[in-house]
Amino acid sequence: MSEAPAVTYNRVMLKISGEALMGDQGYGLNPPTVQRIAQEVKSVHDLGVEICMVIGGGNIFRGLAGSAQGMERTTADYMGMLATVMNALAMQSALEQLGVFTRVISAIPMDQVCEPYIRRRAVRHLEKKRVCIFAAGTGNPYFTTDTAATLRANEMACQAVFKGTKVDGVYDKDPKKHADAKRYDSVGYDEVLEKNLGVMDATAIALARDNKLPIIVFSLDEPGGFRGILAGKGTYTKVQG
């Protein structure tokens, strides 16, 4: 257990994969799972923390997978970006059903569906305690939603990126395949890159390192895990310099 004094984060980025929204279905959106994650976000929002979110699109379409099957990479990546918009809208609906005001902000303009990305407007939404869900990645092919999350976190002056996964931190090898896998309480950016620990892609890690932005890796499947870390409790790994 990582027990530490409570750390006050006023503004954070929560990055989750699209797969996190599909539950046990294997594809698409599982409404109870979306609702459960929304409850986790609300529990932190209720503490007064300003929250940004980036959600992947792998539960619907993954650009890299499409490219591997012969699809032109740029087209496949744009399809993946559109999948993230669908996930963002689903999360927005779940949050607003809980009374949390939310804005979906897309890097690709689609005015009838969500707002275009304008940094100052997004900052103002956060100041008004609205959850901002950034969709469509960076708006450019060849960049992952991990990189988009780190980029937006820096632009929004977030104090940390919270990476919600299916495991409770960063391990030296896959804990689901190796019983002797060792979990790190803390690990440096360069070690993550050198050992290819799979926290985020290399571009995202380098961007976090260059801007001294910590990444906190925790289990999204652990009830209350997101809120618990803000209280200095729970199991997680902190990636920092």
Side-chain angles (χ1 to χ4, degrees):
M1 297 287 286
S2 298
E3 295 291 345
V7 178
T8 301
Y9 291 107
N10 297 316
R11 183 179 294 173
V12 301
M13 166 65 73
L14 174 62
K15 168 61 172 71
I16 61 177
S17 67
E19 288 89 344
L21 303 185
M22 66 187 184
D24 297 325
Q25 294 181 162
Y27 179 81
L29 290 157
N30 178 249
T33 301
V34 177
Q35 192 72 15
R36 178 183 63 80
I37 295 173
Q39 288 279 7
E40 294 279 332
V41 174
K42 181 181 186 298
S43 72
V44 172
H45 184 266
D46 288 346
L47 296 175
V49 178
E50 297 171 3
I51 303 172
C52 306
M53 292 183 71
V54 168
I55 307 172
N59 57 319
I60 299 171
F61 188 87
R62 185 179 294 279
L64 198 58
S67 177
Q69 294 175 20
M71 185 175 290
E72 194 271 320
R73 174 65 188 271
T74 301
T75 298
D77 278 357
Y78 278 122
M79 291 173 67
M81 291 179 214
L82 295 178
T84 72
V85 177
M86 295 171 69
N87 285 338
L89 292 172
M91 183 57 64
Q92 178 184 45
S93 176
L95 284 167
E96 293 197 336
Q97 286 177 25
L98 298 173
V100 179
F101 292 108
T102 310
R103 293 290 185 274
V104 173
I105 302 171
S106 173
I108 299 174
M110 47 185 82
D111 296 346
Q112 291 175 304
V113 176
C114 49
E115 292 186 10
Y117 176 68
I118 300 171
R119 189 184 67 83
R120 288 180 179 271
R121 182 187 292 177
V123 169
R124 187 64 180 138
H125 286 319
L126 291 171
E127 291 171 349
K128 291 182 177 180
K129 306 303 178 184
R130 297 165 180 158
V131 173
C132 288
I133 308 175
F134 295 104
T138 66
N140 301 288
Y142 296 93
F143 289 94
T144 67
T145 50
D146 280 344
T147 299
T150 309
L151 173 65
R152 297 293 184 236
N154 281 308
E155 290 179 305
M156 295 297 106
C158 292
Q159 294 160 310
V161 173
F162 282 71
K163 175 73 182 286
T165 69
K166 291 188 175 296
V167 292
D168 57 0
V170 180
Y171 286 77
D172 59 351
K173 48 191 168 184
D174 190 342
K176 294 182 179 179
K177 297 179 180 177
H178 304 276
D180 62 341
K182 170 194 169 187
R183 185 182 61 80
Y184 297 91
D185 284 330
S186 180
V187 63
Y189 303 109
D190 289 335
E191 187 173 357
V192 169
L193 292 171
E194 288 166 9
K195 296 184 177 179
N196 195 26
L197 295 177
V199 178
M200 288 179 159
D201 68 84
T203 304
I205 294 294
L207 188 57
R209 178 194 62 194
D210 294 348
N211 292 279
K212 298 180 173 59
L213 179 69
I215 302 168
I216 296 171
V217 183
F218 71 105
S219 173
L220 199 64
D221 293 336
E222 180 68 29
F226 188 19
R227 182 185 175 110
I229 294 170
L230 291 162
K233 301 176 182 178
T235 305
Y236 57 91
T237 299
K238 188 171 186 179
V239 182
Q240 57 189 346

